[in-house]
Amino acid sequence: MNTIALIILLAIIFDFILNGIADYLNLKMLCNELPAAFHGVYDPDRYRKSQQYLKINTRFGWVTGTFNVIVILIFWFGRGFPLLDEWVRSFNYGPIITGLIYMGILILVKSLLSLPFSIYATFVIEERFGFNQTTWSTFLLDMIKGVSLAILLGTPLLAGVLAFFEYAGSNAWWYCWIAVTVYMLGVQFIAPTWIMPLFNKFTPLEDGELKSAILSYAESINFPIANVYVMDGSRRSRKSNAFFTGFGRHRRIVLYDTLIKQHTVGELLAVLAHEMGHYKKKHILQSMVLGILQMGMMLYLLSIFISYQGLFDAFYMPQKSVYAGLIFFGMLYSPLGFFIGIFMQMLSRRNETEADRFSVETTRDPNSMAEALKKLSVHNLSNLLPHPLYVFLNYSHPPVLKRIREIQG
Ligand SMILES: [Zn+2]
Protein backbone atom coordinates (compact mmCIF):
# COMPACT_ATOMS: atom_id res chain seq x y z
CA MET A 1 0.00 0.00 0.00
CA ASN A 2 1.50 3.36 -0.97
CA THR A 3 1.32 6.64 0.93
CA ILE A 4 -1.66 7.97 -1.04
CA ALA A 5 -3.68 4.82 -0.37
CA LEU A 6 -2.77 4.99 3.30
CA ILE A 7 -3.85 8.64 3.57
CA ILE A 8 -7.21 7.92 1.93
CA LEU A 9 -7.84 4.80 3.99
CA LEU A 10 -6.99 6.56 7.24
CA ALA A 11 -9.21 9.47 6.28
CA ILE A 12 -12.16 7.14 5.68
CA ILE A 13 -11.63 5.37 9.01
CA PHE A 14 -11.03 8.61 10.90
CA ASP A 15 -14.18 10.17 9.51
CA PHE A 16 -16.22 7.09 10.36
CA ILE A 17 -14.96 6.89 13.94
CA LEU A 18 -15.21 10.62 14.61
CA ASN A 19 -18.80 10.76 13.40
CA GLY A 20 -19.60 7.68 15.45
CA ILE A 21 -18.23 9.33 18.58
CA ALA A 22 -20.12 12.56 17.88
CA ASP A 23 -23.36 10.60 17.39
CA TYR A 24 -22.80 8.65 20.58
CA LEU A 25 -22.16 11.80 22.61
CA ASN A 26 -25.14 13.45 21.02
CA LEU A 27 -27.44 10.63 22.10
CA LYS A 28 -25.98 10.61 25.61
CA MET A 29 -27.02 14.25 25.95
CA LEU A 30 -30.68 13.29 25.70
CA CYS A 31 -32.42 14.05 28.93
CA ASN A 32 -36.04 14.05 29.89
CA GLU A 33 -35.97 17.48 31.40
CA LEU A 34 -37.57 19.98 29.04
CA PRO A 35 -35.48 23.20 28.81
CA ALA A 36 -37.23 26.10 30.53
CA ALA A 37 -37.53 28.20 27.36
CA PHE A 38 -39.78 25.51 25.91
CA HIS A 39 -42.24 25.19 28.76
CA GLY A 40 -45.69 25.55 27.32
CA VAL A 41 -44.43 25.19 23.73
CA TYR A 42 -43.38 21.54 23.73
CA ASP A 43 -45.87 19.19 25.31
CA PRO A 44 -44.19 16.23 27.06
CA ASP A 45 -45.43 13.75 24.48
CA ARG A 46 -44.07 15.65 21.54
CA TYR A 47 -40.80 16.24 23.37
CA ARG A 48 -40.41 12.49 23.86
CA LYS A 49 -41.22 12.05 20.21
CA SER A 50 -38.43 14.44 19.22
CA GLN A 51 -35.96 12.34 21.22
CA GLN A 52 -37.23 9.20 19.55
CA TYR A 53 -36.80 10.89 16.18
CA LEU A 54 -33.19 11.71 16.97
CA LYS A 55 -32.45 8.17 18.14
CA ILE A 56 -33.95 6.58 15.06
CA ASN A 57 -32.25 8.95 12.67
CA THR A 58 -28.89 8.44 14.39
CA ARG A 59 -29.25 4.67 14.20
CA PHE A 60 -30.25 4.95 10.57
CA GLY A 61 -27.21 7.14 9.94
CA TRP A 62 -24.98 4.44 11.44
CA VAL A 63 -26.42 1.80 9.16
CA THR A 64 -26.04 3.98 6.04
CA GLY A 65 -22.55 5.12 7.01
CA THR A 66 -21.33 1.60 7.73
CA PHE A 67 -22.82 0.30 4.51
CA ASN A 68 -21.15 3.05 2.47
CA VAL A 69 -17.74 2.44 4.00
CA ILE A 70 -18.00 -1.31 3.42
CA VAL A 71 -19.05 -0.85 -0.21
CA ILE A 72 -16.25 1.56 -1.02
CA LEU A 73 -13.62 -0.64 0.64
CA ILE A 74 -14.83 -3.78 -1.14
CA PHE A 75 -14.89 -2.00 -4.49
CA TRP A 76 -11.49 -0.45 -3.94
CA PHE A 77 -9.60 -3.49 -2.63
CA GLY A 78 -11.55 -5.86 -4.84
CA ARG A 79 -9.89 -3.94 -7.70
CA GLY A 80 -13.23 -2.65 -8.94
CA PHE A 81 -11.75 0.54 -10.39
CA PRO A 82 -9.33 -1.18 -12.85
CA LEU A 83 -11.88 -3.90 -13.72
CA LEU A 84 -14.47 -1.32 -14.70
CA ASP A 85 -11.81 0.63 -16.58
CA GLU A 86 -10.79 -2.37 -18.61
CA TRP A 87 -14.40 -3.02 -19.55
CA VAL A 88 -15.20 0.59 -20.49
CA ARG A 89 -12.00 0.92 -22.51
CA SER A 90 -12.97 -2.15 -24.54
CA PHE A 91 -15.68 -0.07 -26.23
CA ASN A 92 -12.86 1.88 -27.90
CA TYR A 93 -14.28 5.36 -27.63
CA GLY A 94 -12.11 8.48 -27.27
CA PRO A 95 -10.94 9.64 -23.83
CA ILE A 96 -13.87 12.00 -23.19
CA ILE A 97 -16.66 9.55 -24.02
CA THR A 98 -14.86 6.76 -22.20
CA GLY A 99 -14.54 9.05 -19.18
CA LEU A 100 -18.22 9.98 -19.28
CA ILE A 101 -19.23 6.30 -19.41
CA TYR A 102 -16.83 5.37 -16.62
CA MET A 103 -18.01 8.12 -14.29
CA GLY A 104 -21.61 7.68 -15.36
CA ILE A 105 -21.58 4.02 -14.35
CA LEU A 106 -20.03 4.78 -10.96
CA ILE A 107 -22.55 7.54 -10.28
CA LEU A 108 -25.41 5.32 -11.38
CA VAL A 109 -24.35 2.42 -9.16
CA LYS A 110 -23.85 4.75 -6.22
CA SER A 111 -27.34 6.21 -6.69
CA LEU A 112 -28.93 2.78 -7.02
CA LEU A 113 -27.26 1.63 -3.82
CA SER A 114 -28.52 4.65 -1.92
CA LEU A 115 -32.05 4.35 -3.28
CA PRO A 116 -33.35 1.81 -0.71
CA PHE A 117 -32.04 4.03 2.08
CA SER A 118 -33.78 7.06 0.69
CA ILE A 119 -37.02 5.08 0.32
CA TYR A 120 -36.74 3.88 3.90
CA ALA A 121 -36.03 7.39 5.22
CA THR A 122 -39.02 8.87 3.41
CA PHE A 123 -41.64 6.15 3.66
CA VAL A 124 -40.74 4.58 6.98
CA ILE A 125 -38.98 7.08 9.24
CA GLU A 126 -40.56 10.36 8.10
CA GLU A 127 -43.87 8.56 7.76
CA ARG A 128 -43.74 7.23 11.29
CA PHE A 129 -43.20 10.73 12.70
CA GLY A 130 -45.98 12.20 10.64
CA PHE A 131 -43.81 14.29 8.32
CA ASN A 132 -44.09 12.39 5.10
CA GLN A 133 -46.50 13.70 2.48
CA THR A 134 -44.64 12.27 -0.51
CA THR A 135 -46.64 9.84 -2.56
CA TRP A 136 -44.99 7.08 -4.52
CA SER A 137 -45.76 8.85 -7.76
CA THR A 138 -44.16 12.09 -6.53
CA PHE A 139 -41.15 10.11 -5.36
CA LEU A 140 -40.80 8.39 -8.72
CA LEU A 141 -41.34 11.56 -10.72
CA ASP A 142 -38.77 13.37 -8.55
CA MET A 143 -36.31 10.64 -9.31
CA ILE A 144 -36.92 10.74 -13.05
CA LYS A 145 -36.69 14.51 -13.15
CA GLY A 146 -33.60 14.51 -10.95
CA VAL A 147 -31.79 11.97 -13.10
CA SER A 148 -32.70 13.73 -16.36
CA LEU A 149 -31.55 17.05 -14.95
CA ALA A 150 -28.30 15.56 -13.68
CA ILE A 151 -27.61 14.10 -17.12
CA LEU A 152 -28.62 17.27 -18.94
CA LEU A 153 -26.65 19.65 -16.73
CA GLY A 154 -23.88 17.35 -15.54
CA THR A 155 -22.74 15.81 -18.83
CA PRO A 156 -21.59 19.03 -20.56
CA LEU A 157 -19.86 20.17 -17.37
CA LEU A 158 -18.07 16.90 -16.88
CA ALA A 159 -17.17 16.63 -20.56
CA GLY A 160 -15.74 20.15 -20.39
CA VAL A 161 -13.61 19.38 -17.35
CA LEU A 162 -12.33 16.15 -18.90
CA ALA A 163 -11.53 17.92 -22.17
CA PHE A 164 -9.61 20.75 -20.49
CA PHE A 165 -7.46 18.36 -18.49
CA GLU A 166 -7.00 16.11 -21.50
CA TYR A 167 -5.96 18.77 -24.00
CA ALA A 168 -5.11 22.10 -22.35
CA GLY A 169 -1.89 21.07 -20.63
CA SER A 170 -0.73 23.09 -17.65
CA ASN A 171 -3.32 25.82 -18.26
CA ALA A 172 -6.16 23.35 -17.78
CA TRP A 173 -6.89 24.14 -14.15
CA TRP A 174 -7.58 27.82 -14.55
CA TYR A 175 -9.43 27.43 -17.88
CA CYS A 176 -11.52 24.93 -16.05
CA TRP A 177 -11.93 27.20 -13.07
CA ILE A 178 -13.34 29.99 -15.23
CA ALA A 179 -15.59 27.65 -17.20
CA VAL A 180 -16.97 25.87 -14.13
CA THR A 181 -17.57 29.16 -12.32
CA VAL A 182 -19.45 30.67 -15.26
CA TYR A 183 -21.45 27.48 -15.65
CA MET A 184 -22.38 27.27 -11.96
CA LEU A 185 -23.42 30.93 -11.85
CA GLY A 186 -25.48 30.38 -14.99
CA VAL A 187 -27.27 27.41 -13.42
CA GLN A 188 -27.95 29.37 -10.24
CA PHE A 189 -29.26 32.20 -12.35
CA ILE A 190 -31.79 30.06 -14.18
CA ALA A 191 -32.63 27.85 -11.20
CA PRO A 192 -35.54 29.87 -9.76
CA THR A 193 -37.31 30.22 -13.10
CA TRP A 194 -36.34 27.04 -14.94
CA ILE A 195 -35.28 24.32 -12.55
CA MET A 196 -37.15 24.72 -9.27
CA PRO A 197 -40.59 24.91 -10.89
CA LEU A 198 -39.94 21.39 -12.19
CA PHE A 199 -40.21 20.13 -8.64
CA ASN A 200 -42.58 22.54 -6.92
CA LYS A 201 -45.33 24.95 -7.66
CA PHE A 202 -44.61 28.61 -6.91
CA THR A 203 -47.54 30.95 -6.60
CA PRO A 204 -47.30 34.65 -5.84
CA LEU A 205 -48.42 35.41 -2.30
CA GLU A 206 -51.97 36.77 -2.26
CA ASP A 207 -52.54 40.40 -1.38
CA GLY A 208 -53.32 40.85 2.27
CA GLU A 209 -51.89 41.59 5.67
CA LEU A 210 -48.85 39.34 5.28
CA LYS A 211 -47.86 40.60 1.86
CA SER A 212 -48.19 44.27 2.72
CA ALA A 213 -46.27 43.70 5.96
CA ILE A 214 -43.44 42.04 4.02
CA LEU A 215 -43.30 44.69 1.31
CA SER A 216 -43.33 47.61 3.70
CA TYR A 217 -40.69 45.97 5.87
CA ALA A 218 -38.52 45.35 2.78
CA GLU A 219 -38.87 48.98 1.84
CA SER A 220 -37.95 50.12 5.35
CA ILE A 221 -34.60 48.34 5.11
CA ASN A 222 -34.09 49.44 1.51
CA PHE A 223 -34.31 45.95 0.08
CA PRO A 224 -36.35 46.04 -3.11
CA ILE A 225 -38.23 42.83 -3.87
CA ALA A 226 -40.53 42.25 -6.76
CA ASN A 227 -42.61 39.47 -5.36
CA VAL A 228 -43.06 36.91 -2.62
CA TYR A 229 -43.81 33.32 -3.57
CA VAL A 230 -45.48 30.49 -1.77
CA MET A 231 -44.08 27.03 -2.43
CA ASP A 232 -46.11 23.88 -2.05
CA GLY A 233 -43.64 22.28 0.36
CA SER A 234 -46.55 20.28 1.75
CA ARG A 235 -46.40 18.17 -1.38
CA ARG A 236 -43.46 16.29 0.12
CA SER A 237 -43.23 16.98 3.82
CA ARG A 238 -44.92 18.70 6.72
CA LYS A 239 -41.61 20.29 7.67
CA SER A 240 -41.39 24.00 7.01
CA ASN A 241 -38.89 26.55 5.83
CA ALA A 242 -38.28 29.82 3.98
CA PHE A 243 -35.50 30.87 1.63
CA PHE A 244 -34.24 33.21 -1.04
CA THR A 245 -33.12 32.19 -4.50
CA GLY A 246 -31.59 33.79 -7.57
CA PHE A 247 -29.99 37.16 -7.83
CA GLY A 248 -30.70 40.57 -9.27
CA ARG A 249 -34.18 40.93 -10.61
CA HIS A 250 -34.64 37.16 -10.51
CA ARG A 251 -34.27 37.19 -6.75
CA ARG A 252 -37.30 35.82 -5.01
CA ILE A 253 -38.42 35.14 -1.48
CA VAL A 254 -40.04 31.79 -1.05
CA LEU A 255 -42.21 30.76 1.87
CA TYR A 256 -43.32 27.17 2.36
CA ASP A 257 -47.08 26.83 2.56
CA THR A 258 -46.46 24.77 5.69
CA LEU A 259 -44.69 27.74 7.29
CA ILE A 260 -47.49 30.19 6.57
CA LYS A 261 -49.98 27.87 8.22
CA GLN A 262 -48.16 27.71 11.54
CA HIS A 263 -46.99 31.22 12.18
CA THR A 264 -48.39 34.65 12.94
CA VAL A 265 -47.63 37.55 10.59
CA GLY A 266 -45.10 38.91 13.11
CA GLU A 267 -43.28 35.57 13.24
CA LEU A 268 -43.23 35.19 9.46
CA LEU A 269 -41.88 38.70 9.14
CA ALA A 270 -39.14 37.92 11.66
CA VAL A 271 -38.15 34.82 9.68
CA LEU A 272 -38.07 36.75 6.40
CA ALA A 273 -36.13 39.57 8.02
CA HIS A 274 -33.56 36.95 8.99
CA GLU A 275 -33.37 35.79 5.37
CA MET A 276 -33.03 39.34 4.10
CA GLY A 277 -30.32 39.83 6.73
CA HIS A 278 -28.26 37.21 4.91
CA TYR A 279 -28.37 39.40 1.81
CA LYS A 280 -27.87 42.68 3.58
CA LYS A 281 -24.88 41.34 5.50
CA LYS A 282 -23.46 39.95 2.24
CA HIS A 283 -23.47 36.34 3.44
CA ILE A 284 -24.72 35.09 0.08
CA LEU A 285 -21.93 36.89 -1.75
CA GLN A 286 -19.41 35.69 0.80
CA SER A 287 -20.31 32.02 0.44
CA MET A 288 -20.31 32.36 -3.34
CA VAL A 289 -16.82 33.89 -3.36
CA LEU A 290 -15.51 31.30 -0.91
CA GLY A 291 -17.03 28.53 -3.02
CA ILE A 292 -15.32 29.86 -6.14
CA LEU A 293 -11.98 30.18 -4.35
CA GLN A 294 -12.26 26.67 -3.01
CA MET A 295 -13.05 25.41 -6.47
CA GLY A 296 -9.92 27.11 -7.83
CA MET A 297 -7.75 25.59 -5.14
CA MET A 298 -9.24 22.16 -5.77
CA LEU A 299 -8.67 22.38 -9.51
CA TYR A 300 -5.11 23.57 -8.97
CA LEU A 301 -4.35 20.65 -6.65
CA LEU A 302 -6.09 18.34 -9.09
CA SER A 303 -3.78 19.56 -11.86
CA ILE A 304 -0.78 18.59 -9.71
CA PHE A 305 -2.01 15.16 -8.71
CA ILE A 306 -3.75 14.06 -11.86
CA SER A 307 -0.54 12.90 -13.52
CA TYR A 308 1.01 11.52 -10.34
CA GLN A 309 1.62 7.80 -10.71
CA GLY A 310 1.15 7.11 -7.00
CA LEU A 311 -2.48 8.22 -7.19
CA PHE A 312 -3.24 5.52 -9.75
CA ASP A 313 -1.12 2.88 -8.04
CA ALA A 314 -3.19 3.42 -4.90
CA PHE A 315 -6.22 2.10 -6.77
CA TYR A 316 -4.37 -0.61 -8.73
CA MET A 317 -4.93 1.25 -12.01
CA PRO A 318 -2.41 0.16 -14.65
CA GLN A 319 -3.29 3.04 -16.99
CA LYS A 320 -3.50 6.71 -16.13
CA SER A 321 -6.53 8.63 -17.28
CA VAL A 322 -8.08 12.01 -16.58
CA TYR A 323 -11.44 10.59 -15.52
CA ALA A 324 -10.02 8.08 -13.04
CA GLY A 325 -7.64 10.74 -11.76
CA LEU A 326 -10.62 12.99 -11.12
CA ILE A 327 -12.34 10.35 -8.98
CA PHE A 328 -9.22 9.35 -7.06
CA PHE A 329 -8.29 12.94 -6.44
CA GLY A 330 -11.76 13.50 -5.05
CA MET A 331 -11.05 10.82 -2.47
CA LEU A 332 -7.61 12.19 -1.70
CA TYR A 333 -9.09 15.64 -1.27
CA SER A 334 -11.59 14.54 1.37
CA PRO A 335 -9.32 15.11 4.41
CA LEU A 336 -8.71 18.67 3.28
CA GLY A 337 -12.39 18.98 2.39
CA PHE A 338 -13.22 17.88 5.93
CA PHE A 339 -11.35 20.81 7.48
CA ILE A 340 -12.70 23.26 4.95
CA GLY A 341 -16.19 21.94 5.68
CA ILE A 342 -15.74 22.54 9.41
CA PHE A 343 -14.52 26.06 8.73
CA MET A 344 -17.52 26.74 6.46
CA GLN A 345 -19.92 25.46 9.12
CA MET A 346 -18.34 27.75 11.71
CA LEU A 347 -18.69 30.66 9.35
CA SER A 348 -22.28 29.71 8.62
CA ARG A 349 -23.17 29.54 12.34
CA ARG A 350 -21.66 32.98 12.80
CA ASN A 351 -23.66 34.30 9.86
CA GLU A 352 -26.87 32.82 11.25
CA THR A 353 -26.35 34.65 14.51
CA GLU A 354 -25.70 37.84 12.57
CA ALA A 355 -28.88 37.37 10.53
CA ASP A 356 -30.87 36.76 13.71
CA ARG A 357 -29.48 39.99 15.12
CA PHE A 358 -30.34 41.81 11.91
CA SER A 359 -33.91 40.56 12.13
CA VAL A 360 -34.31 41.61 15.73
CA GLU A 361 -32.73 45.03 15.19
CA THR A 362 -34.76 45.92 12.12
CA THR A 363 -38.13 44.50 13.15
CA ARG A 364 -37.58 45.52 16.80
CA ASP A 365 -39.53 42.42 17.67
CA PRO A 366 -37.28 39.89 19.43
CA ASN A 367 -40.26 37.99 20.81
CA SER A 368 -41.64 37.10 17.40
CA MET A 369 -38.26 35.81 16.28
CA ALA A 370 -37.89 33.74 19.44
CA GLU A 371 -41.43 32.41 19.13
CA ALA A 372 -40.87 31.53 15.48
CA LEU A 373 -37.70 29.60 16.35
CA LYS A 374 -39.46 27.73 19.12
CA LYS A 375 -42.41 26.79 16.95
CA LEU A 376 -40.10 25.70 14.14
CA SER A 377 -38.11 23.46 16.48
CA VAL A 378 -41.20 21.87 17.91
CA HIS A 379 -42.76 21.41 14.54
CA ASN A 380 -39.63 19.92 12.95
CA LEU A 381 -38.80 17.85 16.07
CA SER A 382 -35.36 19.47 16.32
CA ASN A 383 -32.90 18.35 18.91
CA LEU A 384 -32.86 21.02 21.62
CA LEU A 385 -29.67 19.87 23.34
CA PRO A 386 -27.11 18.68 20.79
CA HIS A 387 -23.63 17.81 22.00
CA PRO A 388 -21.02 20.55 21.27
CA LEU A 389 -18.84 18.15 19.26
CA TYR A 390 -21.82 17.20 17.13
CA VAL A 391 -22.63 20.87 16.61
CA PHE A 392 -19.01 21.61 15.74
CA LEU A 393 -18.97 18.91 13.06
CA ASN A 394 -22.46 19.12 11.61
CA TYR A 395 -24.48 22.19 12.46
CA SER A 396 -24.87 25.02 9.96
CA HIS A 397 -27.04 26.88 12.49
CA PRO A 398 -26.33 27.38 16.20
CA PRO A 399 -28.50 25.18 18.45
CA VAL A 400 -31.91 26.74 18.94
CA LEU A 401 -31.54 27.49 22.65
CA LYS A 402 -28.38 29.43 21.94
CA ARG A 403 -30.15 31.42 19.23
CA ILE A 404 -33.03 32.25 21.52
CA ARG A 405 -30.64 33.32 24.28
CA GLU A 406 -28.79 35.63 21.86
CA ILE A 407 -32.03 37.12 20.56
CA GLN A 408 -33.46 37.81 23.95
CA GLY A 409 -30.08 38.69 25.49
ZN1 LIG B 1 -30.28 31.83 8.08
Side-chain angles (χ1 to χ4, degrees):
M1 185 177 283
N2 71 11
T3 322
I4 300 254
L6 199 64
I7 291 172
I8 297 173
L9 186 64
L10 287 178
I12 292 174
I13 295 170
F14 172 78
D15 187 69
F16 185 72
I17 293 176
L18 184 66
N19 278 308
I21 293 173
D23 280 337
Y24 171 75
L25 293 173
N26 207 31
L27 286 184
K28 272 197 74 172
M29 289 280 289
L30 286 181
C31 74
N32 293 323
E33 191 93 29
L34 182 66
F38 278 82
H39 282 297
V41 194
Y42 241 133
D43 65 75
D45 257 4
R46 192 154 179 90
Y47 186 55
R48 257 194 303 278
K49 209 170 157 191
S50 81
Q51 304 195 324
Q52 207 60 36
Y53 188 54
L54 179 72
K55 274 187 213 157
I56 288 183
N57 272 325
T58 307
R59 223 175 292 146
F60 181 65
W62 281 337
V63 175
T64 341
T66 311
F67 177 79
N68 286 339
V69 168
I70 290 173
V71 167
I72 185 74
L73 292 183
I74 289 178
F75 191 73
W76 177 3
F77 294 107
R79 317 215 164 191
F81 290 108
L83 278 172
L84 179 64
D85 195 40
E86 204 179 310
W87 184 58
V88 174
R89 278 176 192 273
S90 71
F91 303 150
N92 277 319
Y93 291 115
I96 311 293
I97 303 285
T98 306
L100 288 177
I101 297 175
Y102 189 81
M103 297 179 94
I105 290 174
L106 286 180
I107 295 169
L108 181 75
V109 171
K110 193 170 184 288
S111 315
L112 284 177
L113 287 176
S114 70
L115 187 60
F117 293 99
S118 139
I119 290 175
Y120 187 83
T122 308
F123 293 102
V124 179
I125 299 179
E126 295 291 287
E127 182 77 41
R128 171 168 166 197
F129 287 91
F131 288 127
N132 183 41
Q133 298 263 70
T134 311
T135 59
W136 278 99
S137 74
T138 305
F139 189 84
L140 251 141
L141 270 175
D142 278 359
M143 213 166 63
I144 294 167
K145 285 185 243 177
V147 169
S148 322
L149 208 60
I151 293 173
L152 206 69
L153 293 176
T155 312
L157 183 69
L158 205 52
V161 172
L162 291 176
F164 279 126
F165 277 98
E166 191 75 46
Y167 303 116
S170 59
N171 288 327
W173 74 273
W174 66 268
Y175 284 169
C176 225
W177 188 18
I178 294 172
V180 172
T181 302
V182 171
Y183 192 82
M184 295 294 199
L185 290 179
V187 169
Q188 272 187 50
F189 191 73
I190 60 160
T193 30
W194 291 90
I195 300 175
M196 290 163 61
L198 294 173
F199 295 92
N200 281 96
K201 217 165 82 194
F202 294 85
T203 32
L205 179 64
E206 306 166 12
D207 290 333
E209 194 196 348
L210 179 58
K211 189 171 172 184
S212 47
I214 293 170
L215 292 181
S216 73
Y217 166 77
E219 206 173 319
S220 79
I221 58 159
N222 194 16
F223 187 85
I225 37 170
N227 216 335
V228 185
Y229 289 84
V230 181
M231 190 188 103
D232 59 344
S234 59
R235 184 199 290 215
R236 295 192 182 76
S237 170
R238 288 202 173 84
K239 288 185 177 169
S240 52
N241 208 345
F243 63 92
F244 267 88
T245 62
F247 16 64
R249 74 192 162 80
H250 290 269
R251 189 165 64 193
R252 45 169 85 176
I253 307 182
V254 178
L255 292 166
Y256 279 38
D257 53 357
T258 39
L259 189 76
I260 296 179
K261 257 187 234 141
Q262 297 150 28
H263 294 273
T264 63
V265 170
E267 290 162 10
L268 289 167
L269 201 61
V271 170
L272 285 177
H274 167 104
E275 295 301 325
M276 291 186 213
H278 282 310
Y279 266 93
K280 279 291 200 178
K281 297 285 175 187
K282 307 240 181 318
H283 299 156
I284 315 280
L285 187 70
Q286 177 199 62
S287 62
M288 212 153 75
V289 170
L290 285 176
I292 291 171
L293 288 178
Q294 200 201 337
M295 170 75 66
M297 183 183 73
M298 234 175 119
L299 288 167
Y300 175 69
L301 290 175
L302 171 67
S303 75
I304 293 174
F305 280 99
I306 202 157
S307 50
Y308 180 60
Q309 186 61 46
L311 185 64
F312 295 88
D313 291 343
F315 292 90
Y316 314 107
M317 287 290 261
Q319 270 178 294
K320 284 190 206 170
S321 62
V322 173
Y323 52 88
L326 211 62
I327 294 167
F328 302 156
F329 174 74
M331 294 176 71
L332 180 62
Y333 185 78
S334 65
L336 188 56
F338 171 80
F339 291 109
I340 293 173
I342 285 183
F343 168 75
M344 297 298 273
Q345 300 274 42
M346 278 165 73
L347 191 66
S348 166
R349 289 195 296 271
R350 207 205 61 177
N351 288 347
E352 293 303 333
T353 305
E354 211 172 65
D356 280 348
R357 205 176 305 138
F358 180 88
S359 170
V360 168
E361 277 166 11
T362 54
T363 60
R364 295 190 201 87
D365 187 7
N367 283 335
S368 287
M369 186 72 212
E371 279 309 305
L373 286 176
K374 284 182 204 168
K375 274 196 201 171
L376 275 169
S377 316
V378 173
H379 183 79
N380 294 339
L381 293 176
S382 313
N383 182 12
L384 298 184
L385 298 165
H387 189 276
L389 177 66
Y390 192 88
V391 174
F392 181 72
L393 294 175
N394 301 306
Y395 269 44
S396 62
H397 291 61
V400 66
L401 284 170
K402 188 161 182 241
R403 290 177 75 183
I404 292 172
R405 228 179 298 131
E406 293 264 342
I407 289 165
Q408 294 182 323

